[in-house]
Amino acid sequence: MTDDRGVPQATGPSGLTPVPEHQARIATLLPPARAESRPLADCLDLALAEDLVAAIPLPPFDNSAMDGYAVRSVDVAEAGPDDPVTLPVSEDVPAGRIDSPPLQPGTAHRIMTGAQMPAGADAVVPVERTDAGTSEVRLHASVQPGAHLRRAGEDVQVGTAVLHAGVSLGPAQLGIAAAVGAARLPVRRPVRVLVLSTGSELVEPGSPLRAGQIYESNGLMLAAAVREAGGEAQLLRFVPDDVESFHAALQPHLETTDLILTSGGVSAGAYEVVKDALAGNGVEFTKVAMQPGMPQGCGRYRDGPAVVTLPGNPVSSMVSFEIFVRPALRSAAGHHRNQRPTRQAVLTEPLEKTSAGRRQYRRAVFDPATATVTPHGGPGSHLLSAMAGANSLLEVPEETTSLPAGATVDVILME
């Protein structure tokens, strides 16, 4: 049920939309991004779209785990620190040699770490337990069969899924993909986000400020947040507070955008250009039971790209992005881990909440060494400096109005 401006009537008992309900609305707006094949070098931080199954074993052959001498263990069974066994060195086997002859009984091959074990050898004596000879070698230690060897398939067997769909591809994941011979990977492409910065009072940082003007920060901040979440961001700055200009600014980007993300212009006052332009064009507005970030909106612009409208105060905008937009972006891009990590922590000082019936997100500093958390700055949605100095969000439930020092609270880690 909506009012005459397209604002849905709240569903919660407080007359506000519950946070989980608005999260679910936004999540449904962004379907999974399509899969595409990319070279390994272009896959960092993307999500794998299909399981990667090993076509070769790892290691692909038996190889030496040490610099030393490949031997038959029976030939050095009597060797000891004071009673070495001397063997002729018949071959050098560096890593990468592919034509090593078999090891003959009563001889040794000098071998390097990673080199393929010659046929006939069943162990390696580390060079530190020898005199490092080149034509013959004195070995001061016996070894058991299999000593200092890496067996073929010891790490990965053929047919093993070494990476599963949905994993975020970091350096280690790309390393294992390369090790099993994958030159390209099927990945979900990043979600393409158009970040709109609206407001006639906004000017570019670095230019002189006139009376009544402020430097534009939300657009840059949200575009950076999109990129940090793994999306592709295009920032469209300084859209005037005019409905026709707003629609005109959107038009060239509709075919190449998955999500239109705005901040500001969604409250109940006059000159709310985002609400005026989008209400009746597929976007519904609501008040969410949270602080900061009560005025919100979402939908589809004229049956095209998804739209999420965030409040204009910078902290409200950033917190709203974290709670609503970031998880949806990462889910759409195929990442199984789409939520920030959370911890329980002990509150170091009392906390009062005046917004009864609303879930509050306070900027905070979490200390992992002591599992404690300290509020950082006040609850005001304009206090951006506190946001910049925080490493977490402290979550205060809707029904809670005060917390004593020593209370256990939930913390969303931002780093």
Side-chain angles (χ1 to χ4, degrees):
M1 180 178 175
T2 63
D3 66 15
D4 57 3
R5 297 188 68 193
V7 180
Q9 300 304 295
T11 59
S14 63
L16 303 174
T17 300
V19 170
E21 184 176 319
H22 195 63
Q23 286 174 321
R25 290 179 184 175
I26 291 175
T28 61
L29 290 174
L30 289 173
R34 75 166 186 271
E36 58 188 23
S37 175
R38 292 195 180 193
L40 286 188
D42 296 336
C43 292
L44 183 63
D45 293 333
L46 300 181
L48 191 64
E50 303 170 8
D51 289 357
L52 176 63
V53 176
I56 63 168
L58 287 183
F61 47 80
D62 291 353
N63 68 87
S64 176
M66 304 282 288
D67 292 339
Y69 295 84
V71 299
R72 297 193 321 153
S73 56
V74 297
D75 290 338
V76 296
E78 303 301 320
D82 300 318
D83 189 18
V85 168
T86 300
L87 297 176
V89 178
S90 55
E91 294 287 340
D92 264 357
V93 188
R97 183 174 177 181
I98 60 175
D99 62 348
S100 299
L103 178 72
Q104 300 301 317
T107 68
H109 286 181
R110 190 169 68 154
I111 194 167
M112 303 300 119
T113 302
Q116 186 170 10
M117 287 292 291
D122 67 356
V124 172
V125 179
V127 67
E128 293 85 357
R129 308 301 298 274
T130 75
D131 68 351
T134 55
S135 57
E136 64 176 23
V137 61
R138 299 175 69 189
L139 302 119
H140 294 272
S142 62
V143 285
Q144 296 297 313
H148 308 299
L149 297 189
R150 301 166 179 157
R151 295 294 188 187
E154 183 179 297
D155 184 16
V156 174
Q157 297 282 333
V158 173
T160 300
V162 294
L163 295 172
H164 293 283
V167 68
S168 299
L169 296 168
Q173 291 74 31
L174 295 178
I176 188 66
V180 298
R184 304 176 68 89
L185 288 175
V187 294
R188 297 284 177 191
R189 67 161 177 78
V191 178
R192 301 165 301 188
V193 183
L194 180 67
V195 180
L196 256 68
S197 168
T198 65
S200 299
E201 78 280 13
L202 303 177
V203 297
E204 186 171 3
S207 60
L209 279 180
R210 297 180 178 178
Q213 293 182 328
I214 60 172
Y215 288 124
E216 197 284 316
S217 60
N218 281 10
L220 181 64
M221 179 178 67
L222 291 174
V226 167
R227 296 185 186 105
E228 190 272 339
E232 291 180 355
Q234 181 180 359
L235 176 56
L236 187 60
R237 303 176 83 178
F238 312 120
V239 178
D241 283 338
D242 173 77
V243 169
E244 292 305 316
S245 298
F246 185 93
H247 288 300
L250 288 181
Q251 200 59 42
H253 305 281
L254 298 181
E255 297 298 321
T256 57
T257 296
D258 301 309
L259 170 65
I260 298 168
L261 183 63
T262 72
S263 64
V266 295
S267 295
Y271 304 106
E272 302 291 353
V273 64
V274 173
K275 182 177 288 186
D276 292 340
L278 297 180
N281 282 289
V283 179
E284 295 186 336
F285 297 89
T286 189
K287 293 181 178 180
V288 176
M290 66 184 288
Q291 183 195 34
M294 186 170 64
Q296 302 281 342
C298 64
R300 289 198 172 277
Y301 180 70
R302 297 176 176 175
D303 296 323
V307 176
V308 175
T309 67
L310 306 179
N313 278 321
V315 176
S316 298
S317 194
M318 192 66 212
V319 170
S320 298
F321 179 90
E322 287 291 329
I323 302 305
F324 300 122
V325 182
R326 188 180 191 277
L329 284 181
R330 292 189 63 78
S331 290
H335 297 276
H336 279 179
R337 294 184 179 179
N338 53 48
Q339 299 285 347
R340 294 281 196 188
T342 59
R343 297 288 186 274
Q344 286 199 319
V346 175
L347 190 61
T348 62
E349 61 185 55
L351 187 149
E352 298 293 329
K353 178 163 75 81
T354 59
S355 54
R358 288 194 278 167
R359 187 180 303 185
Q360 189 178 71
Y361 295 94
R362 291 287 296 271
R363 288 134 285 178
V365 175
F366 172 72
D367 183 351
T370 60
T372 58
V373 64
T374 303
H376 188 65
S381 58
H382 63 294
L383 302 175
L384 186 57
S385 62
M387 190 80 192
N391 66 3
S392 58
L393 293 175
L394 189 164
E395 187 176 76
V396 185
E398 288 86 344
E399 67 277 6
T400 301
T401 56
S402 65
L403 290 167
T408 299
V409 294
D410 291 328
V411 176
I412 301 169
L413 303 185
M414 304 285 287
E415 295 179 353

